[in-house]
């Protein structure tokens, strides 16, 4: 870390009208949450602990619904899908992308996302953004970084970088880790937002996917695969990829394979369904819009069953900044109980992204990442849009 942290924050007591701690326990009313000087949760409960710490700062959320900060399990800092040509955006000069990312990350944080897994950037932009946030130069969620996406020269997700063959993949992955990557992102199938690629064809051979997974595991990390379904998804799961991203066309057999291998499904609905997503950005491209319509119909028909299958799932905005609530609302639209949608947005995301020891639930020893809502999302999931308070690492970001 090149910066010095200068904040000295005192112990904080957060009074919670309703506390949903993200562990799966029932919500409790009139709870308090104690935050220590290091920004960790010291205690959670209904006891009258305020008298015991007279110097504490009191944060009064006694008329709010308090829950863990949201974990966006799949996004990109620099992209705005509604502007169109997402890969073109990633080919721009780094400064231009960084300026866009600065606004995007602020928006995400203010909407309650305290942890975001970045799923590929060029120029190692995500590592620089992570440092700028840690220094306090800009505001944003805690970032988990991929560095450059691992994609084939003719593959989906190619902006500037591409990697063909086992040796190039090993080198690309190692360079990402040298720059401080937290995980590997590999593109195993085509995608919706590029005209040429088909959704199910595999962009990589089994050996290439295996190389990426091996290189990640060798340094104690994991690989995530962009995969909608078909051969590419199968290869990724069979070779030990931990999270499957999107999975829009996942079949019953593929779903069972994921369950057998304990792979997570990271759902990304808003970029596909929200009017400011691909539809706004690339609607003039008939080839892309045809893919959007097909994918929408398939997801609408299939996902109620997919989400009931027992596969573990988390949610991500895929660059639809500030729209985690829309992701959770879509889960509910597909039959998921509001409580389980909230868990997918918090604990599930943290577990999928391997940071559950730090965040994702409100328990002693974890980082004080929490949000306050004006409504009750268990009664109406749309209340997740009404974020009025955000705390990250014990430091108030909004409210
Ligand atoms: Zn993505």
């Amino acid at each position: 870390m090149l910066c010095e942290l200068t904040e000295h924050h005192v112990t904080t007591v957060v009074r919670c009208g309703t506390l949903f701690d993200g562990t799966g326990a029932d919500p409790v009313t009139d709870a308090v949450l104690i935050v220590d000087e290091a920004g960790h949760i010291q205690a959670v409960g209904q006891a009258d602990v305020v008298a015991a710490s007279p110097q504490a700062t009191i944060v009064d959320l006694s008329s709010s619904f308090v829950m863990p900060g949201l974990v966006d399990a799949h996004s990109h800092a620099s992209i705005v899908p509604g502007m169109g040509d997402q890969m073109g955006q990633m080919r721009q000069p780094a400064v231009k992308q960084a300026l866009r990312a600065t606004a995007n990350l602020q928006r995400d944080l203010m909407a309650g996302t305290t942890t975001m897994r970045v799923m590929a950037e060029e120029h190692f932009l995500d590592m620089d953004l992570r440092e700028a946030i840690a220094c306090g130069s800009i505001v944003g969620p805690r970032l988990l970084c991929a560095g450059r996406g691992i994609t084939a020269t003719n593959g989906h997700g190619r902006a500037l970088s591409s990697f063909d063959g086992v040796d190039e993949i090993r080198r690309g992955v190692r360079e990402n880790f040298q720059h401080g990557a937290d995980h590997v992102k590999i593109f195993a199938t085509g995608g919706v937002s590029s005209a040429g690629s088909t959704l199910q064809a595999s962009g990589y051979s089994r050996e290439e996917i295996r190389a990426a997974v091996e290189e990640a595991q060798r340094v104690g990390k994991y690989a995530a695969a962009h995969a909608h379904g078909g051969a590419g998804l199968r290869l990724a799961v069979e070779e030990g990829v931990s999270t499957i991203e999107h999975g829009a066309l996942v079949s019953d057999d593929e779903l069972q394979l994921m369950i057998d291998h304990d792979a997570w499904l990271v759902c990304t609905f808003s970029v596909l369904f929200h009017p400011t997503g691909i539809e706004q950005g690339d609607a003039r491209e008939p080839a892309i819009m045809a893919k959007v319509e097909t994918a929408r119909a398939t997801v609408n028909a299939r996902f109620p069953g997919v989400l009931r299958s027992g596969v573990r799932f988390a949610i991500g905005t895929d660059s639809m900044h500030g729209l985690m609530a829309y992701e959770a609302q879509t889960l509910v639209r597909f039959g998921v109980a509001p409580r389980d949608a909230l868990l997918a947005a918090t604990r599930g995301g943290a577990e999928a992204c391997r940071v559950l020891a730090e965040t994702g639930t409100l328990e002693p020893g974890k980082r004080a990442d929490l949000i306050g809502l004006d409504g009750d999302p268990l009664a109406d999931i749309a209340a997740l849009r009404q974020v009025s308070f955000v705390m990250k690492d014990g430091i108030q970001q909004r409210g």
Side-chain angles (χ1 to χ4, degrees), residues 74 76 119 185 246 318:
H74 182 129
H76 306 264
M119 298 307 275
K185 162 74 177 296
H246 319 299
D318 205 0

Side-chain angles (χ1 to χ4, degrees), residues 184-374:
V184 171
K185 162 74 177 296
I186 185 164
F187 288 84
T189 75
V192 179
S193 63
S194 59
S197 60
T198 63
L199 290 185
Q200 282 156 300
S202 178
Y204 275 133
S205 69
R206 183 181 292 281
E207 290 68 31
E208 289 172 308
I209 291 174
R210 183 183 301 155
V213 173
E214 267 177 20
E215 290 301 320
Q217 290 176 348
R218 200 197 304 285
V219 294
K221 314 277 189 184
Y222 69 96
H226 167 107
H228 282 291
L233 187 146
R234 276 193 163 275
L235 285 183
V237 176
E238 286 170 3
E239 293 305 323
V241 157
S242 300
T243 66
I244 292 295
E245 312 296 314
H246 319 299
L249 306 181
V250 65
S251 71
D252 287 345
D253 286 352
E254 290 154 10
L255 211 46
Q256 191 56 51
L257 188 72
M258 290 177 66
I259 294 168
D260 293 344
H261 282 77
D262 238 0
W264 284 82
L265 176 63
V266 178
C267 310
T268 57
F269 299 122
S270 53
V271 71
L272 182 62
F273 286 103
H274 198 277
T276 63
I278 296 175
E279 182 182 335
Q280 176 185 304
D282 296 295
R284 63 199 175 283
E285 286 273 351
I288 292 179
M289 267 323 281
K291 284 164 103 176
V292 169
E293 292 304 343
T294 306
R296 277 181 180 170
T298 308
V299 170
N300 277 333
R302 295 266 314 142
F303 264 64
V306 167
L307 298 168
R308 269 198 314 271
S309 69
V311 75
R312 298 192 293 172
F313 58 87
I315 46 179
T317 60
D318 205 0
S319 316
M320 296 293 285
H321 302 282
L323 289 189
M324 275 294 279
Y326 186 92
E327 298 293 335
Q329 284 178 278
T330 308
L331 287 179
V332 172
R333 176 162 77 82
F334 290 145
V336 173
R339 170 185 168 281
D340 294 332
L342 294 186
L343 292 177
T346 55
R347 188 186 68 184
E351 196 176 349
C353 301
R354 303 206 180 176
V355 289
L356 187 57
E358 288 177 67
T359 190
T361 65
L362 299 176
E363 295 177 277
K366 293 213 180 181
R367 296 172 182 273
D369 295 342
L370 57 97
I371 61 176
L373 310 175
D374 289 342

